[in-house]
Amino acid sequence: EIRRDQYVLACFYFYVCIYMRGGIESLQAFNALIRMWRQHPNMFEPFHAQLMTHAEVQVILKRHIGWDSNAAATNWVENSKRLVRNWDGDPLNLLKGLRSYEDACRRIRNKLKKRDLKEVGYQNEGFRGFQFKMVSMLLYFYDWEGWIKKRFPYPSPADFHNFRLGIAAGAIVILLTEREIAKPSEKLSKPWRDAIMAYLIKRKADPVEVADAIWLYSLVMCGNSPATI
């Protein structure tokens, strides 16, 4: 039912990204949000969602998903307001004239510092909870649908599965002091993004195919690898 209307599907992907930050399996989140959409389709309509209260949204999220409902409700309402305020309530407008990953980061990534916001302009304030991973995630969804007219390379959305694969393949190397512990952070994400971008450009690879290969391989092999024991 969602796929019948491009705008409805684009909005669904946009809100799905709120739950793509980790802590819950993607398939579990998708299935829960599909069930939620069937009962509360207006929640996935930015002009309606922007007028909902945090409490209203949290109750529904807690009933259907449970995990992280407080922060997710805040992001849900705030990002609806930003989408209406800056992009006429249509996430497909984020793709208009989009020509590079840098452009996408400028439009979508949440600007945490006033200096950054001043540099890119208020319309490009981005969305709460959306950093580099979520920029790639939204691009991946929209690119998978064929909505990016002039395609460009962008790094695969990075999570711990990706990092493990990158380390195992020698794409990234971690040097630790005696008491240091490797943790997912921008220190790890930035080299990973750079490695993927270098690969995409050098091999002229398809970013959707590369993301699929990384996700599927790392997810399936996670429980089978002796390195994880």
Side-chain angles (χ1 to χ4, degrees):
E1 311 96 296
I2 294 172
R3 301 191 68 84
R4 289 175 187 158
D5 187 308
Q6 188 183 54
Y7 170 74
V8 172
L9 181 58
C11 288
F12 183 80
Y13 280 136
F14 176 79
Y15 289 109
V16 158
C17 284
I18 291 174
Y19 272 100
M20 293 292 110
R21 293 179 293 116
I24 185 172
E25 286 189 5
S26 300
L27 183 60
Q28 182 183 346
F30 260 90
N31 287 335
L33 288 166
I34 289 170
R35 289 191 295 270
M36 195 171 91
W37 177 84
R38 288 185 174 134
Q39 292 188 30
H40 306 279
N42 284 338
M43 264 191 68
F44 296 81
E45 211 298 313
F47 287 97
H48 178 89
Q50 69 166 337
L51 302 176
M52 297 181 72
T53 66
H54 176 277
E56 289 173 330
V57 174
Q58 185 177 9
V59 166
I60 296 172
L61 291 177
K62 195 165 187 178
R63 184 187 311 135
H64 286 272
I65 301 173
W67 180 79
D68 200 31
S69 62
N70 183 46
T74 299
N75 294 350
W76 202 287
V77 175
E78 176 60 24
N79 288 344
S80 299
K81 292 178 180 178
R82 294 186 187 188
L83 193 60
V84 171
R85 181 166 63 229
N86 300 318
W87 302 98
D88 296 326
D90 188 349
L92 291 170
N93 286 335
L94 292 165
L95 303 180
K96 289 185 176 178
L98 194 64
R99 296 292 180 266
S100 69
Y101 173 64
E102 289 72 24
D103 279 346
C105 288
R106 183 162 56 250
R107 297 181 184 189
I108 300 170
R109 186 177 70 86
N110 191 32
K111 311 306 181 297
L112 300 175
K113 298 179 181 178
K114 290 183 178 179
R115 180 184 61 196
D116 295 338
L117 187 56
K118 186 176 180 181
E119 185 179 325
V120 299
Y122 197 76
Q123 181 189 13
N124 296 311
E125 61 183 318
F127 301 98
R128 185 181 169 90
F130 284 46
Q131 286 299 317
F132 295 106
K133 176 186 176 181
M134 225 45 62
V135 174
S136 291
M137 186 71 71
L138 195 61
L139 286 176
Y140 168 83
F141 288 144
Y142 289 175
D143 194 18
W144 193 92
E145 295 292 343
W147 295 343
I148 299 178
K149 300 307 177 186
K150 291 192 176 181
R151 300 181 72 211
F152 50 82
Y154 55 89
S156 308
D159 57 16
F160 72 95
H161 289 296
N162 300 46
F163 296 145
R164 185 185 302 146
L165 190 65
I167 294 165
I172 46 179
V173 177
I174 300 180
L175 302 177
L176 300 171
T177 62
E178 188 175 341
R179 296 186 178 182
E180 265 189 307
I181 298 173
K183 297 179 180 179
S185 68
E186 181 60 12
K187 287 183 178 180
L188 195 51
S189 296
K190 178 68 166 62
W192 171 254
R193 293 196 303 272
D194 291 345
I196 291 295
M197 285 292 278
Y199 178 86
L200 291 170
I201 293 168
K202 183 177 181 180
R203 299 298 181 92
K204 296 181 180 179
D206 186 316
V208 169
E209 290 185 359
V210 170
D212 283 346
I214 291 170
W215 277 341
L216 293 173
Y217 187 84
S218 59
L219 182 63
V220 171
M221 296 304 292
C222 175
N224 297 326
S225 171
T228 62
I229 296 175

